Amino acid sequence: MRFGFWPGPNNSWSDTLALARHAETAGWHGIWYADHFMPNAEDTSGPTSECWTTLAALAVAVPRVRIGALVTGNTYRHPAVLAKMAANVDNISGGRCVLGLGAGWQENEHRAYGINFSTLGGRMNRFEEACEVVTGLFTNAQTNFTGKHYQLTDAPLAPKPVQQPLPLLIGGGGEQRTLRIAAKYANEWNVWGTPELLARKGAILDRHCEELGRDPRSIKHSTQGMLVLTDDAAAVERMKASGRPVIGGDGPGVRATIEQYAEAGVDEVIIPDFNLGATVEAKTAVMDRFAREVMSYFK
């Protein structure tokens, strides 16, 4: 089992850097970053750092762990531009970048910045074309593509990513479209959910792979949950009431949940910092307890 850490984009750069360096030193396997421009809330005044410039900085400043977007909104950038960005971050990092990609969902960003939001079907159609575009550019000397939404003519991409292939992580749990797109293009797949949900959707992903003639084992699975590492059972229940999947309890209880994820076919569990405290010191204290009482048992 791998463990990733997810600093929120509302952190200052200095706090993000401190958390990422601490995670690397403490033995975490990856740093993940969300791709948003503003809060998804009525009050949109809070700071929100941009994803790919942050990943490029982390590629230099944090030299060991994987770094990736969780996940890039396809609507925000032309996929050829995104492929160039990801390849460059992979080169800067020496081959540690993961291109997380999703169809895009946060409507208030699109309205505020004048970005076309479209319908769910429209976003999914763009997303599927984008997956073909980025995987083609990563592989081909020149890429030609004629789609409804994107067109490329003898498009080069150099330098190529260090990793061949550069991992494409598909984010989302839609069983008809998203999981089939993942079966066709993804090296990794991610969705929020309980172990039961991951097991059920993972089986659907496997069926899509089999229909397309692909080995399901070639796609790694990951998920995330709100960590509540505490002896206070009431605190765990309060967090569950928020509606997000919760990884909660004391050390043995959290380990048992991680084991359930492993049994469901999950290869990486990602811990967001959203509820771990207001300061770097508070967050790193929880990270260290998690490393001692949970991560150390899965080495």
Side-chain angles (χ1 to χ4, degrees):
M1 178 67 74
R2 292 190 307 227
F3 295 95
F5 186 72
W6 184 358
N10 59 307
N11 288 303
S12 67
W13 163 244
S14 61
D15 285 359
T16 296
L17 179 59
L19 290 165
R21 284 177 165 167
H22 188 86
E24 179 182 63
T25 301
W28 296 66
H29 301 93
I31 302 296
W32 299 92
Y33 210 76
D35 183 32
H36 291 293
F37 304 144
M38 59 192 281
N40 184 35
E42 190 170 326
D43 179 5
T44 60
S45 61
T48 307
S49 296
E50 196 278 327
C51 176
W52 281 93
T53 49
T54 301
L55 293 179
L58 291 172
V60 175
V62 184
R64 182 185 62 82
V65 298
R66 300 201 313 161
I67 52 174
L70 199 67
V71 290
T72 310
N74 178 60
T75 50
Y76 301 141
R77 304 166 189 82
H78 192 288
V81 174
L82 178 62
K84 185 70 176 180
M85 293 163 60
N88 208 44
V89 171
D90 200 52
N91 276 273
I92 292 168
S93 68
R96 294 179 290 117
C97 180
V98 181
L99 171 52
L101 188 58
W105 61 270
Q106 191 169 316
E107 187 173 0
N108 70 340
E109 293 178 308
H110 295 76
R111 289 198 312 269
Y113 292 100
I115 300 169
N116 180 36
F117 188 59
S118 186
T119 62
L120 176 58
R123 297 197 306 277
M124 292 303 301
N125 291 338
R126 285 175 170 81
F127 176 45
E128 186 161 11
E129 285 191 14
C131 290
E132 186 170 351
V133 167
V134 297
T135 53
L137 286 165
F138 288 156
T139 303
N140 302 327
Q142 292 184 321
T143 297
N144 291 282
F145 182 82
T146 303
K148 180 178 179 181
H149 304 286
Y150 306 113
Q151 298 80 40
L152 280 68
T153 303
D154 297 332
L157 190 143
K160 294 296 187 195
V162 173
Q163 300 175 90
Q164 287 297 332
L166 188 156
L168 175 62
L169 178 150
I170 298 297
E175 296 174 7
Q176 298 297 320
R177 292 290 303 276
T178 303
L179 293 183
R180 189 168 183 84
I181 292 169
K184 188 172 183 179
Y185 294 105
N187 307 102
E188 304 183 22
W189 163 67
N190 175 275
V191 72
W192 285 85
T194 62
E196 294 78 13
L197 183 75
L198 268 290
R200 185 176 66 79
K201 288 189 180 289
I204 295 169
L205 176 61
D206 290 352
R207 290 199 294 272
H208 283 304
C209 285
E210 291 162 2
E211 290 171 3
L212 293 169
R214 185 171 181 193
D215 184 353
R217 295 172 297 180
S218 66
I219 302 176
K220 300 295 185 183
H221 298 190
S222 65
T223 192
Q224 49 278 338
M226 306 300 285
L227 175 66
V228 187
L229 183 51
T230 177
D231 300 321
D232 181 358
V236 177
E237 293 305 312
R238 287 194 297 270
M239 180 56 70
K240 287 182 179 179
S242 70
R244 288 283 197 184
V246 172
I247 302 172
D250 59 8
V254 170
R255 290 199 302 271
T257 300
I258 299 297
E259 288 169 355
Q260 291 171 6
Y261 277 117
E263 291 170 1
V266 172
D267 302 285
E268 180 170 3
V269 172
I270 299 165
I271 302 299
D273 79 340
F274 313 158
N275 64 306
L276 299 187
T279 65
V280 169
E281 292 75 19
K283 293 174 183 180
T284 55
V286 180
M287 293 168 68
D288 289 346
R289 182 179 175 186
F290 183 78
R292 289 193 310 272
E293 297 185 19
V294 181
M295 284 171 51
S296 62
Y297 286 79
F298 292 88
K299 291 183 177 179

